[in-house]
Amino acid sequence: RASEISLRGHDLANEPSMHVYPALPGLNMDATGARQPVYFTRGRFSATEGQVPEHPKAIGEGLYAAAKLADDSPGNAVEKMRLQPQQRRDLLTSLKWDLELAPAGGPPAEGLDKKQALQLRSSASTMLLELMTAQGNSGAISQEAFGLYKDQLQAETNPTLRDQMALHLGRLAERLPQSLQAEAKALAASEGPDSPPYDAWFKDGDNTLTVNWSAGPESLKDDKRRLLKAGFKSTDNETFTKTYDVNGVETTFKVEIRPFRNDMFDQVGDDKTEMQIYTGHSNWGRNMRSSLDGVNTGKGGEGKLVFTDLCVGKGEMQQFRDKFPKADFVTTFNSSYFIPGSEFREPNSEGINAILTTFDGIAARKDYASIAENVRKGNPWRRDHEREGVDNNFIFPTDAAVRRRVLDADHDGQADLFDRLVDFNTFKPEEDAARDFQPIEHRAASQLDGTKAHFASMTVTRIANYNERFAEETEGGQLVPAGYFDPAPGEKNLFRFERSTIDGKEGITMKMSSHHAHMSEDALRATGCYEFARFINGERGELSTVDDKIHGLLMASHSLKTDTGYEDRRIWQALLEAKGLPAIPRSLVEEAKASDKHNYAGGYQAVEELKELLSPELVSQLED
């Protein structure tokens, strides 16, 4: 048929993957084969070889596959694909049509649900950004693509996607033609809050700021005394008020301070509360996580400022943002230092200093950058943090560089700094779980941010401390994260453990494979626990093959139990397959682990219990 001949002729003449990856059969643009396959023809990307996507779902799947390829590729994906001028024009035309299938705030085209429409917009925005920042464009293509991207950004109703679009537009603005750079940077900057929500707070003559403050028992008394020292008045030791007068503008702070009971965010959804504060211990992040569980999110935190003074608040920044995407959030980078009972001498609580400095800035109607600088200068523990390489221990909304290193807006395990695709995981989630364990050669170890590698190491340390067999290897802080490594040919483990002398003491370094930088944090945590157990068992050498593997599985299962994700089933299955293990039900592993009331993450009793629970066939397969 004439139509078929025409189509094939177009493919043979214009398929760019023939030039980029000539050795690959089927013209799959993914040279590694670790991702979903992606093909380009007639201006559109396809996830199925030999098929031009025409229906909305097929178009969405093709864009998703292409965007994941771009997300993992170094440099610009359009340049790597070697799309010629006409192909770039065809791609831009298709993106215009495709985005009409999933309008922000409107009904999606038939065949797409709302989540898939959101993913289509996300994938299309990724490829649009790749197209408009590619070198070798005609001026018209860059100009038109930028105009379309701008319209999409301003119309987007999903805060996660909108923020990521703005972040990466600002990051890549200098790759645009000179005539577009200033507008792109201004557009990116306008998406983030530069000042507290003064208009929402102080309207219709209202000059009172209502603050709800919860404090742990370690800081409650000191906080109250410090407020009194700062000029606040109280008749009941629960409500503290002070009126500031700055340049003739009065601002009254009404602070309700109470004991913390896993409720540091309970008033964020309350219309009568403008600012919510927490001071106290982090409890390894559990205080924040438990406070977020089941909390009333109200309007997503719109018009609210939340300030948490606790250790390493950055670890839960993403979880807070998931619940309150519209709130302004201030928290800590590293430990927050204080000496109980030191409110009348130096150095006292750095958190209280930061909070009172923020009050001063609000009373003067200053922007976040000015408030943050005053907090930095007035921190009594400033020198200690500077010695740790931290310029300001308090992260404000305008600290974009810090935020994009610790936030993972789409929960795919990649820091937002690297994450060019906001992945809502709506087209092929089962494939993505398996993909976690497939190596991808996309970045050198020296170019990777080490946040996930560090989190994985800290998880192994914490889990092993509660395992009868491995506690002695970690309880003294012997395990030290050492960043990434570029794996040698044939090296398949995700982590590399080595005995070493560290700062004059015997220790173990833990490095993560650079080929798994795309992996989700939950999968990395579990795999790190499994491989650490196998490493220690391999050194000692006295266990049977079955006991060796079961010890590792107990550790991995406990990691999944204590993480905050919801992909345990998929990760467990993918881990078993990646390690060549039989299909052991995780429920049996948890049952065996629960039989030992003292060793929460496993031990010798749990190993024997699991062997009793497993069928002879599964035990035999473990021996292989």
Side-chain angles (χ1 to χ4, degrees), residues 447-607:
Q447 298 174 326
L448 292 168
D449 176 84
T451 302
K452 286 195 297 179
H454 182 267
F455 284 170
S457 176
M458 295 299 100
T459 296
V460 172
T461 293
R462 185 162 62 249
I463 299 297
N465 282 353
Y466 295 97
N467 181 285
E468 181 181 12
R469 181 169 175 81
F470 306 115
E472 64 186 82
E473 302 289 350
T474 60
E475 59 190 0
Q478 300 98 312
L479 188 65
V480 179
Y484 288 90
F485 70 92
D486 291 318
E491 187 172 5
K492 295 182 179 179
N493 270 14
L494 274 71
F495 295 93
R496 183 187 289 174
F497 300 94
E498 295 178 343
R499 294 280 180 181
S500 180
T501 300
I502 305 170
D503 198 24
K505 299 179 181 180
E506 292 186 3
I508 303 172
T509 59
M510 179 176 176
K511 293 184 178 181
M512 180 178 138
S513 169
S514 63
H515 290 183
H516 290 274
H518 61 286
M519 198 169 182
S520 69
E521 182 186 328
D522 294 348
L524 281 173
R525 286 162 44 113
T527 308
C529 287
Y530 180 81
E531 292 191 1
F532 176 75
R534 298 296 306 277
F535 166 73
I536 298 299
N537 291 339
E539 281 191 328
R540 297 180 183 176
E542 78 275 13
L543 292 180
S544 69
T545 298
V546 172
D547 288 7
D548 172 14
K549 295 174 182 176
I550 288 179
H551 274 293
L553 289 174
L554 290 167
M555 288 270 287
S557 184
H558 197 67
S559 175
L560 291 174
K561 181 179 179 179
T562 57
D563 66 28
T564 57
Y566 302 97
E567 298 294 320
D568 293 357
R569 178 183 62 82
R570 291 173 180 153
I571 292 173
W572 180 257
Q573 179 180 347
L575 173 64
L576 294 179
E577 292 176 356
K579 296 300 178 184
L581 299 171
I584 296 174
R586 182 166 169 261
S587 59
L588 296 183
V589 179
E590 284 299 304
E591 181 179 344
K593 188 156 58 67
S595 69
D596 189 338
K597 303 300 182 182
H598 301 288
N599 300 295
Y600 308 125
Y604 299 104
Q605 178 180 328
V607 170

Side-chain angles (χ1 to χ4, degrees), residues 240-282:
F240 295 76
T241 60
K242 178 182 177 179
T243 297
Y244 293 69
D245 188 335
V246 181
N247 300 323
V249 177
E250 289 189 349
T251 306
T252 298
F253 286 78
K254 181 183 177 183
V255 179
E256 303 281 353
I257 190 166
R258 57 184 171 78
F260 167 70
R261 295 186 176 91
N262 290 331
D263 58 354
M264 67 176 76
F265 305 118
D266 277 17
Q267 299 303 309
V268 180
D270 178 26
D271 291 339
K272 298 178 181 180
T273 300
E274 284 93 12
M275 184 175 181
Q276 184 136 29
I277 296 174
Y278 169 76
T279 53
H281 286 313
S282 165

Side-chain angles (χ1 to χ4, degrees), residues 206-442:
D206 180 12
N207 68 342
T208 299
L209 188 73
T210 303
V211 181
N212 185 277
W213 184 332
S214 64
E218 61 279 356
S219 61
L220 182 59
K221 290 183 179 179
D222 287 0
D223 293 346
K224 291 180 177 181
R225 292 170 181 167
R226 186 65 189 280
L227 285 172
L228 293 173
K229 182 184 177 183
F232 282 77
K233 306 297 182 182
S234 178
T235 58
D236 58 6
N237 204 34
E238 293 180 354
T239 301
F240 295 76
T241 60
K242 178 182 177 179
T243 297
Y244 293 69
D245 188 335
V246 181
N247 300 323
V249 177
E250 289 189 349
T251 306
T252 298
F253 286 78
K254 181 183 177 183
V255 179
E256 303 281 353
I257 190 166
R258 57 184 171 78
F260 167 70
R261 295 186 176 91
N262 290 331
D263 58 354
M264 67 176 76
F265 305 118
D266 277 17
Q267 299 303 309
V268 180
D270 178 26
D271 291 339
K272 298 178 181 180
T273 300
E274 284 93 12
M275 184 175 181
Q276 184 136 29
I277 296 174
Y278 169 76
T279 53
H281 286 313
S282 165
N283 191 21
W284 297 99
R286 286 192 288 266
N287 284 352
M288 188 180 289
R289 292 196 293 270
S290 61
S291 295
L292 289 169
D293 187 25
V295 71
N296 173 27
T297 58
K299 299 177 182 178
E302 185 175 7
K304 306 299 176 71
L305 171 59
V306 181
F307 195 119
T308 59
D309 169 43
L310 73 181
C311 287
V312 201
K314 68 180 181 183
E316 279 69 44
M317 282 181 68
Q318 184 58 58
Q319 290 154 304
F320 173 85
R321 190 172 179 81
D322 290 340
K323 293 284 188 176
F324 300 105
K326 298 180 181 179
D328 295 356
F329 188 44
V330 179
T331 193
T332 53
F333 189 89
N334 278 341
S335 295
S336 181
Y337 296 133
F338 73 100
I339 302 174
S342 66
E343 70 276 9
F344 294 109
R345 68 176 188 271
E346 297 290 344
N348 47 44
S349 163
E350 67 170 307
I352 296 298
N353 275 277
I355 291 167
L356 292 175
T357 301
T358 300
F359 284 178
D360 292 337
I362 290 172
R365 304 297 190 267
K366 292 186 176 180
D367 59 22
Y368 279 128
S370 300
I371 297 174
E373 177 62 12
N374 289 336
V375 166
R376 184 185 73 84
K377 289 180 178 178
N379 191 336
W381 301 89
R382 172 183 171 186
R383 301 303 179 192
D384 295 79
H385 290 298
E386 288 178 346
R387 282 193 290 271
E388 297 169 355
V390 178
D391 180 56
N392 188 356
N393 195 38
F394 290 88
I395 306 170
F396 279 80
T398 46
D399 294 323
V402 175
R403 287 172 174 269
R404 67 181 183 234
R405 286 179 175 270
V406 299
L407 290 175
D408 176 20
D410 59 359
H411 303 283
D412 68 349
Q414 294 188 86
D416 288 348
L417 175 65
F418 292 132
D419 207 352
R420 285 184 275 179
L421 169 68
V422 184
D423 192 344
F424 297 101
N425 201 20
T426 56
F427 281 109
K428 297 185 177 180
E430 294 292 348
E431 289 187 16
D432 289 342
R435 176 179 172 272
D436 274 343
F437 292 89
Q438 296 170 338
I440 297 175
E441 302 177 28
H442 46 58

Side-chain angles (χ1 to χ4, degrees), residues 99-174:
L99 284 166
E100 293 177 0
L101 300 172
E110 185 178 354
L112 292 175
D113 58 35
K114 290 184 178 180
K115 288 187 176 181
Q116 289 173 334
L118 177 60
Q119 184 66 69
L120 189 152
R121 292 201 304 276
S122 174
S123 304
S125 70
T126 295
M127 297 315 299
L128 190 58
L129 186 64
E130 293 294 291
L131 175 61
M132 72 189 195
T133 57
Q135 300 301 304
N137 281 340
S138 67
I141 286 183
S142 294
Q143 181 77 46
E144 291 176 40
F146 174 73
L148 181 58
Y149 193 91
K150 175 182 176 181
D151 291 343
Q152 288 296 124
L153 174 58
Q154 293 177 329
E156 183 54 56
T157 55
N158 182 276
T160 299
L161 177 54
R162 186 183 63 248
D163 290 351
Q164 281 293 89
M165 289 179 68
L167 185 156
H168 289 294
L169 177 61
R171 184 176 64 84
L172 297 174
E174 293 186 356

